[in-house]
Amino acid sequence: MNQILIIYTGGTIGMMTDPKTKALKPINFEQIMENVPELEKLNCKILVHSFEQIIDSSNMNPEIWCELAHLIRDNYDNVDGFVILHGSDTMAFTASALSFMLENLAKPVIFTGSQLPISAIRTDAKENLMTAIEIAKAKKHDRARVPEVCIYFDYKLFRGNRAFKYNSSKFEAFRSPNYPILAESGVHLKFSLNDIRQPTEDHFIVHSDLANDVAVLKLYPGISPKVVENILSADVRGIVMETFGAGNTTTDQWFIDLLKNAINSGKVILDISQCKVGTVELGRYETSKELKDMGVANGYDMTYEAAITKMMYLLGQYKEPAVIKELLETDLRGELTIS
Ligand code: ASP
């Protein structure tokens, strides 16, 4: 019989309204189980690991990502797949981080949660949880159908490092406009086999050195030299720069000089677009030509969540800026498409 490990970190799925404060607060996993008697009927053995401290995912952090990665490593040989219950707010960050930390993954790691608590009458939690388990145990010829870190939400399975939370009130909380969905649940569970990644090597590796040595420079017309200078001189090694359109920035000399100085001082700057759909094309416009020439890294069509966590992952693994730049521009886990 298949064995699935459910890891419960928190999120709305396991929350209840506090009668006193009227705010949503986390409950324990036994109370979740009571709401889903259907779990007993699944043709698989469910193991559960509940975090000691159940959190709203706004309190998520890289230490907990490491704990998750280690739990997966420690249980890897004993189970067929993992389902991680997590708040939707930062789920795309955690899924992206884990995708980089787990190299040559051959088993499903499916994140899910919900917009309404599992005890609510109109909850989306039950469908999300039951189908996430179905996907985690789905196999063909004894191999996992989706050996990837994914997010399952509202009938759709997304590659974790391609998705982001785009809606805080609809059940359809996530989107992945730059990459097709990996599976859709309806009357049948339909897998998009051509879009699902398979590990290229057998050796499963868990990387747990992450460095949160990152700052973000989000551009807007009228941004002042003082603001840009402050961000670029922060005591960090990596800057994620959110640019306009296809990766463009102002060509004002003061701006170009500040970027050049930052790169010369050993910082790595990664260019991703503020647009949610499409890709960075360094050098297509005059307004990105100098960026390319000075050595800004091309983030192609990466999500903000993938860019931040990939930067943390690479800064944790490597010291040399040129190596980090090269790997930022390389497709490591299906997080970007080189155009
Ligand atoms: N604030 C919640 C969280 O991210 C929202 C959710 O679970 O959907 O933990």
Side-chain angles (χ1 to χ4, degrees), residues 88-104:
S88 63
D89 288 352
T90 63
M91 188 182 288
F93 287 93
T94 306
S96 298
L98 270 272
S99 77
F100 297 114
M101 297 165 83
L102 308 177
E103 191 173 350
N104 301 326

Side-chain angles (χ1 to χ4, degrees), residues 138-255:
K139 286 192 177 175
K140 189 159 188 190
H141 305 312
D142 221 26
R143 292 174 77 113
R145 295 211 98 165
V146 196
E148 290 209 38
V149 179
C150 302
I151 291 179
Y152 179 76
F153 226 91
D154 195 42
Y155 302 101
K156 293 188 182 74
L157 184 71
F158 305 95
R159 175 171 296 158
N161 57 32
R162 289 289 194 155
F164 57 87
K165 184 170 180 180
Y166 100 105
N167 198 314
S168 61
S169 53
K170 280 192 177 185
F171 287 157
E172 185 202 1
F174 289 89
R175 284 206 172 162
S176 159
N178 282 333
Y179 197 78
I181 53 170
L182 304 183
E184 191 155 19
S185 150
V187 173
H188 302 287
L189 206 46
K190 271 202 191 156
F191 293 94
S192 306
L193 296 178
N194 292 338
D195 299 316
I196 297 172
R197 268 169 76 87
Q198 300 294 333
T200 45
E201 283 176 45
D202 274 346
H203 185 42
F204 176 54
I205 307 167
V206 175
H207 302 275
S208 35
D209 292 322
L210 296 175
N212 66 347
D213 234 356
V214 187
V216 176
L217 174 59
K218 184 165 186 164
L219 300 181
Y220 50 89
I223 194 166
S224 68
K226 193 174 63 190
V227 168
V228 175
E229 195 173 356
N230 265 307
I231 296 172
L232 292 179
S233 60
D235 185 17
V236 294
R237 291 188 290 142
I239 311 273
V240 173
M241 179 168 70
E242 286 195 88
T243 57
F244 309 122
N248 306 315
T249 66
T250 173
T251 47
D252 282 353
Q253 200 55 48
W254 64 262
F255 180 78

Side-chain angles (χ1 to χ4, degrees), residues 10-15 24 55-59 86-91 113-116 153 165 168 173-174:
T12 301
I13 192 165
M15 289 192 187
L24 283 170
I55 57 166
D56 184 297
S57 75
S58 300
N59 284 318
H86 190 293
S88 63
D89 288 352
T90 63
M91 188 182 288
S114 63
Q115 294 280 52
L116 281 177
F153 226 91
K165 184 170 180 180
S168 61
F174 289 89

